[in-house]
Amino acid sequence: MKLLIASDIHGDALCCEKMLEAAKKHGVQKIVILGDILYHGPRNDLPENYAPKDVISQLNAVSDKLICVRGNCDTEVDQMVLNFPILSTTGIIYDGEKDLTLHLSHGHLYSPDNLPPISGHSVFLYGHTHLVGFSEKNGVVCLNPGSVSLPKGGNPKTYAVYSCGEFSIFTLDGELKEVRSL
């Protein structure tokens, strides 16, 4: 199983396009989006290439590859124009080859400080803060892939790739920043 994991597109069409190009380059089977797809939200500046209608078209074209959870900026109105589900606040992906469960959340309801019920060999994937990186809480590995459009904390625009028990963090320009094997 090979996944691209991204969060916080916030309607930036150019960043969404680069993310989809990265998915092709990495040869992933699925693209996991951890919420905040179309709207930039009242606390964020308008993304440089804000064009949510273009993001709708780009993502609807690959809807069969998408696994998404709802972010705090995602609404029922967004679901009306998207051809894939976005309204579940959590999700689970199981990698049977590695006996590893990936727990998905945007990060506004569940976070490393408020983990959902997790047991076994698991990783908690979340976005929301726009801060890329790994952490560990109560024995659970947590990964925030950062933001593909509005990174914070001086970070570059980033996403992660999961394959065979290994997580790699890349900049949107394709530079490998960090690798963590489980």
Side-chain angles (χ1 to χ4, degrees):
M1 168 188 317
K2 193 169 193 182
L3 309 169
L4 184 138
I5 304 158
S7 190
D8 299 283
I9 299 169
H10 289 291
D12 190 312
L14 180 60
C15 291
C16 184
E17 181 181 333
K18 287 183 176 184
M19 177 195 74
L20 294 175
E21 288 171 2
K24 285 181 187 176
K25 177 185 142 201
H26 291 289
V28 302
Q29 284 83 33
K30 296 287 183 181
I31 300 167
V32 176
I33 302 176
L34 301 172
D36 285 0
I37 297 170
L38 300 176
Y39 181 54
H40 67 286
R43 296 179 302 159
N44 296 312
D45 292 333
L46 199 62
E48 185 178 345
N49 300 289
Y50 187 65
K53 288 182 180 179
D54 291 345
V55 172
I56 293 166
S57 296
Q58 290 173 28
L59 294 178
N60 279 343
V62 296
S63 62
D64 61 321
K65 290 189 170 282
L66 299 176
I67 299 171
C68 302
V69 293
R70 182 182 196 159
N72 59 307
C73 293
D74 299 322
T75 69
E76 289 82 4
V77 172
D78 299 338
Q79 184 63 82
M80 292 171 63
V81 297
L82 295 169
N83 297 335
F84 50 92
I86 66 161
L87 295 179
S88 180
T89 57
T90 61
I92 293 176
I93 299 171
Y94 179 69
D95 182 350
E97 290 180 28
K98 291 293 180 180
D99 189 29
L100 180 66
T101 304
L102 308 178
H103 294 265
L104 317 177
S105 179
H106 177 61
H108 66 298
L109 299 176
Y110 292 110
S111 68
D113 291 328
N114 181 35
L115 289 171
I118 293 177
S119 63
H121 190 47
S122 298
V123 175
F124 177 67
L125 303 173
Y126 70 104
H128 185 57
T129 64
H130 301 218
L131 298 170
V132 64
F134 292 97
S135 61
E136 193 168 318
K137 187 73 172 197
N138 300 329
V140 175
V141 173
C142 303
L143 168 62
N144 187 324
S147 172
V148 295
S149 69
L150 296 170
K152 295 185 178 174
N155 289 298
K157 298 173 181 182
T158 53
Y159 63 89
V161 172
Y162 170 78
S163 182
C164 300
E166 182 175 272
F167 291 90
S168 302
I169 297 173
F170 292 89
T171 68
L172 199 54
D173 294 326
E175 178 186 346
L176 179 62
K177 298 298 284 181
E178 186 175 352
V179 176
R180 179 143 183 197
S181 296
L182 301 180

